Amino acid sequence: MMKRARAIFVLPVLALVLASAGAVQAQQRERVQFRFNWIINGQHAPFFLAQEKGYWLEEGLDVKINEGKGTQISLNVVANGVEQFSIADLATSAKAIVQGMPVKAIFAYNQLSPMAIISQPEANIRSPRDLVGKTIASSAASSNRQIFPALLKAHNVDIDKIRLVTVDGGAEPAILRAKKADAVLLYFFDYGPILESQGVKHSILKYSDWGVNLLGTGIITHPRTLAERPDFVRRFLRPIQRGFQQAIRNPEEAVDAQLKLWERARAKEVEQKILLNSLSMLSTPNSKSLPIGGMAKKDWEATQDLLRQYGGLPKTLPVEQYYTNEPLSPIMAP
């Protein structure tokens, strides 16, 4: 009788011990603030997959994802030490670094430029030379607009033979739907699937397919964090590398994680197409042998040259001041 009573007593005590151990473990995990670059879409699915699978928890990190409000906010929160990591446009980050902002790129996942000319099929724009005589709409502040002259120059196209129309930022899709221009300058990886889901027929001409490429989107942190806490940075990036590796193997699983953890999203098939487009830009011929997220010096040099000529970069720096691959683990792309 006594033995049975003792066994009954041990069970709740054991449960209490296990619960306490779990609580202590949770308390020991370091809280990390991670800001995205923009409104969440399929490009962010690998990060949600890393969170859903507990990869960060395995590294002792409790990561809070914050939705983005543009690259300038992403730069500011890291430079001011408000948040430890953020996603940012790397060309914009380079300009900020030249101006003295303390940030550095540590991971890039859109290494082929998302810049594109999205056109009406009947406009027959299959190469930059086909732009002659066409009407192209773009917002004045668009990065696509800034680099557009480089694409024309690379293929000996006279910009004066193109009608370039300035529209409000965000109005480009409506312009294309209404057929008020032959083409618009937009990012292809998200606007392509969105327009397709709306029944808008279109063709896409990517800058990168025609020899003009800027590094696109990546993760930045403060140089002080890199110098003082290199292991912390590695523990943050390893789960992201694993998330991307798994997303390549199973993109549907990645999008399911995104939709589960972030309800405000488009239809699953649209988000999955956005993810697949984003994954197609994960590396360049120069960086394909590097670990996932690793950046090539040649790509940074080409990016800086384009920004110097067309993007308003006031001066050049040794490109190592823009980025480092040091914290990346040797998880090779599948």
Side-chain angles (χ1 to χ4, degrees), residues 148-161:
F148 186 61
L151 180 69
L152 301 180
K153 182 179 179 181
H155 297 277
N156 298 312
V157 178
D158 186 350
I159 195 169
D160 292 331
K161 294 182 179 180

Side-chain angles (χ1 to χ4, degrees), residues 26-312:
Q27 289 175 358
Q28 291 174 342
R29 292 191 184 109
E30 182 171 2
R31 189 70 178 267
V32 180
Q33 298 286 338
F34 178 30
R35 180 164 299 276
F36 283 178
N37 53 321
W38 196 240
I39 297 168
I40 287 166
N41 60 45
Q43 68 169 307
H44 302 115
F47 303 105
F48 285 106
L49 186 60
Q51 191 175 57
E52 169 72 4
K53 285 187 168 293
Y55 294 159
W56 276 309
L57 296 179
E58 292 174 16
E59 298 281 356
L61 301 177
D62 179 11
V63 175
K64 182 179 185 298
I65 290 174
N66 300 313
E67 191 169 37
K69 297 180 179 179
T71 284
Q72 196 57 54
I73 299 295
S74 291
L75 289 166
N76 290 341
V77 295
V78 167
N80 295 326
V82 177
E83 298 176 11
Q84 296 98 323
F85 303 97
S86 69
I87 298 175
D89 174 73
L90 296 179
T92 306
S93 300
K95 293 181 184 179
I97 291 166
V98 165
Q99 293 168 357
M101 184 172 276
V103 298
K104 200 162 195 174
I106 54 175
F107 183 100
Y109 66 91
N110 283 350
Q111 298 198 28
L112 290 171
S113 174
M115 297 178 184
I117 300 163
I118 302 182
S119 62
Q120 309 285 353
E122 56 269 27
N124 293 315
I125 298 175
R126 297 186 178 91
S127 77
R129 289 184 175 274
D130 295 329
L131 295 168
V132 173
K134 301 298 193 301
T135 299
I136 313 295
S138 169
S139 67
S142 164
S143 57
N144 293 37
R145 174 80 164 257
Q146 291 179 357
I147 305 302
F148 186 61
L151 180 69
L152 301 180
K153 182 179 179 181
H155 297 277
N156 298 312
V157 178
D158 186 350
I159 195 169
D160 292 331
K161 294 182 179 180
I162 297 169
R163 184 168 178 250
L164 198 55
V165 177
T166 300
V167 299
D168 292 336
E172 294 94 339
I175 295 288
L176 196 69
R177 282 194 298 269
K179 298 188 176 184
K180 293 182 178 179
D182 295 302
V184 295
L185 304 182
L186 288 172
Y187 286 179
F188 81 90
F189 78 96
D190 51 355
Y191 279 105
I194 291 168
L195 289 168
E196 182 182 345
S197 71
Q198 296 170 346
V200 180
K201 294 182 179 180
H202 61 278
S203 299
I204 293 175
L205 190 149
K206 304 173 189 175
Y207 287 25
S208 61
D209 286 346
W210 293 89
V212 175
N213 188 59
L214 280 171
L215 286 166
T217 315
I219 299 172
I220 59 170
T221 193
H222 199 292
R224 184 175 59 246
T225 304
L226 280 166
E228 297 177 358
R229 306 193 62 196
D231 185 62
F232 167 64
V233 178
R234 291 189 190 96
R235 289 189 292 121
F236 175 74
L237 288 180
R238 250 191 316 261
I240 293 173
Q241 291 179 290
R242 293 173 65 189
F244 271 88
Q245 192 171 53
Q246 185 61 24
I248 293 168
R249 292 173 179 150
N250 193 337
E252 184 175 1
E253 181 186 26
V255 171
D256 284 340
Q258 174 198 340
L259 297 177
K260 178 180 177 181
L261 297 174
W262 198 268
E263 296 179 356
R264 288 186 288 115
R266 300 178 185 89
K268 179 178 177 178
E269 58 270 22
V270 176
E271 296 293 357
Q272 191 161 323
K273 288 177 182 177
I274 292 173
L275 169 61
L276 291 172
N277 281 343
S278 181
L279 291 176
S280 75
M281 301 183 285
L282 187 55
S283 63
T284 72
N286 296 320
S287 65
K288 63 182 180 181
S289 63
L290 297 174
I292 291 175
M295 297 158 278
K297 182 178 180 180
K298 284 184 179 180
D299 292 329
W300 268 108
E301 289 172 341
T303 295
Q304 179 170 245
D305 288 346
L306 281 170
L307 291 175
R308 181 64 170 156
Q309 292 183 62
Y310 302 99

